[in-house]
Amino acid sequence: MFFKLVSGIANQACGFIDKNSQCTLEDIACIFSESTNIDEVEFIGYNCNRSNPIWGSFRKYQKIVAYRGEIDTVEIRYANHLSSAWRRFVVTKELCHSLEADKGYFSVENQDVKRLITELSISSIPSNGKFSRPFSMERRAELAALEILLPFSKREQIIQQEGTLTESRIEELAEQFDAPVFYTAMAFSDSYISIARHLFSEDA
């Protein structure tokens, strides 16, 4: 259910990318409000030391609004020192995390592509495309954010047209999609593409 919902959000993000070359955080917030039980999204930047490993957090709560009644609100907080690419990833990841939890955070100390690939190992996916074992909500949210910022269909088109990508081309694509090079490289890796194909392709 989670991945199906994320796939729908990613498909809508593709529409914005096709039209405007990019899907902004405001666009993503609107998609979430229209496609999920989240009624309102608030972004709040905060100042902190760059050595602080906590780059973002979220909390979900209900509040009463005149003429609307009780609404579900997600407040996303992010460190002001983040680059545009990292801010987009952290905010989108926290939004995705809010689909399954009421609060959480993103820590730079959790960055580990090998750990994520291992946890999402293709060997754990049977022929029906479903995971045989659960993995953490943190990893699910990371995966979901990656798919919204760099939709599988867009990546597949690029791979079909260009084949194996060089490091410099990965950096160009990271700039084009305004996503961290760290995650862009992962998104185009063979091991990750195999996983994403089971979860986000049209035939999944």
Side-chain angles (χ1 to χ4, degrees):
M1 187 62 157
F2 176 80
F3 290 118
K4 185 175 182 180
L5 178 58
V6 170
S7 183
I9 293 171
N11 287 337
Q12 291 185 66
C14 272
F16 283 95
I17 293 171
D18 289 337
K19 185 178 180 180
N20 305 313
S21 298
Q22 191 181 101
C23 188
T24 68
L25 285 179
E26 289 71 23
D27 294 332
I28 293 171
C30 286
I31 294 171
F32 267 77
S33 294
E34 294 171 358
S35 306
T36 73
N37 60 359
I38 297 170
D39 300 305
E40 184 177 80
V41 179
E42 299 177 348
F43 301 135
I44 301 175
Y46 63 90
N47 295 319
C48 69
N49 193 301
R50 289 176 179 271
S51 63
N52 186 335
I54 306 301
W55 282 6
S57 63
F58 82 90
R59 69 183 182 108
K60 183 165 60 178
Y61 62 96
Q62 287 75 43
K63 68 179 181 181
I64 303 296
V65 177
Y67 308 111
R68 294 179 65 187
E70 189 175 79
I71 66 172
D72 290 312
T73 299
V74 173
E75 178 187 278
I76 309 288
R77 298 173 62 85
Y78 60 86
N80 283 327
H81 66 72
L82 296 179
S83 66
S84 174
W86 273 108
R87 181 171 64 252
R88 281 165 53 78
F89 182 83
V90 169
V91 168
T92 304
K93 181 262 176 188
E94 292 307 308
L95 260 176
C96 293
H97 201 173
S98 74
L99 296 174
E100 299 189 297
D102 291 329
K103 62 181 179 179
Y105 66 91
F106 178 86
S107 171
V108 68
E109 292 181 338
N110 287 335
Q111 288 182 46
D112 187 338
V113 171
K114 289 183 179 178
R115 186 185 307 160
L116 181 55
I117 290 295
T118 298
E119 198 167 350
L120 302 174
S121 172
I122 192 67
S123 64
S124 69
I125 307 177
S127 58
N128 63 4
K130 296 182 179 180
F131 285 100
S132 59
R133 61 185 176 82
F135 53 97
S136 70
M137 285 192 292
E138 189 74 14
R139 298 303 174 205
R140 289 159 66 90
E142 250 177 292
L143 175 63
L146 189 55
E147 291 304 321
I148 292 169
L149 296 177
L150 292 135
F152 176 80
S153 60
K154 292 296 181 186
R155 301 201 313 278
E156 194 167 48
Q157 288 175 12
I158 292 170
I159 290 172
Q160 288 174 351
Q161 293 169 1
E162 303 182 29
T164 303
L165 304 178
T166 64
E167 187 174 332
S168 60
R169 181 59 176 140
I170 290 291
E171 292 174 353
E172 289 175 359
L173 289 168
E175 184 175 355
Q176 177 184 329
F177 286 94
D178 201 7
V181 174
F182 178 88
Y183 282 102
T184 302
M186 173 183 144
F188 284 96
S189 67
D190 291 340
S191 54
Y192 183 82
I193 285 292
S194 296
I195 294 165
R197 184 171 286 113
H198 279 271
L199 297 175
F200 298 104
S201 70
E202 291 184 359
D203 298 327

